[in-house]
Amino acid sequence: MSEQLNEKELIQYIERKTDIDANNIALVLKHEQAFINNAKADAKGVVDIDSDELVDYVLSQRDVKLDELAVETVLDSEMEYLMEKGLAGYED
C-alpha cells in the first residue's frame, strides 16, 4: 500500500472503462465516501460494507441521476483500480 490514491486519476480511469461522465463518477464516489464514513466498526475495528446497501444509499441521494447498473459499474471499476494499485482487496 505504498501508493496514494489519486482521485483525478481514479475518475479518469473509471471514465475510460465505463463511458460515464466524470461529474457523475465524482458524485457517486462522494456519496460512497459518506456511506463509508458513517459505517460502524465491529469490536475488532473492522468495517464491513455491504455492496447492496452502498448502492441503495447512493441511489437514494437526490443529486444522483444514474441507474443502479451505472452506480454498480462505477463502484466495480473503482475496486478494479484500487486492486491494481494495491490499495484494496477482497476479504474471503
Side-chain angles (χ1 to χ4, degrees):
M1 292 216 201
S2 59
E3 215 172 313
Q4 294 285 25
L5 177 63
N6 179 330
E7 186 174 6
K8 184 177 179 181
E9 182 180 277
L10 169 61
I11 291 171
Q12 290 172 343
Y13 175 90
I14 296 170
E15 190 175 25
R16 280 192 308 275
K17 297 220 30 129
T18 66
D19 290 326
I20 295 172
D21 177 76
N23 291 327
N24 285 320
I25 294 167
L27 196 57
V28 169
L29 297 177
K30 178 185 90 167
H31 290 305
E32 174 195 30
Q33 191 60 53
F35 180 86
I36 291 169
N37 289 344
N38 290 323
K40 303 286 186 239
D42 64 15
K44 296 179 182 177
V46 176
V47 177
D48 184 31
I49 303 295
D50 180 278
S51 60
D52 291 332
E53 289 178 12
L54 173 58
V55 170
D56 289 344
Y57 174 81
V58 172
L59 289 171
S60 72
Q61 304 307 303
R62 290 183 182 192
D63 53 353
V64 174
K65 305 298 182 212
L66 298 173
D67 62 21
E68 183 175 357
L69 182 59
V71 170
E72 288 175 351
T73 301
V74 168
L75 296 173
D76 289 345
S77 296
E78 176 195 24
M79 191 60 169
E80 285 177 27
Y81 173 87
L82 294 173
M83 287 175 28
E84 284 179 16
K85 297 292 183 180
L87 298 171
Y90 290 105
E91 264 189 30
D92 292 332

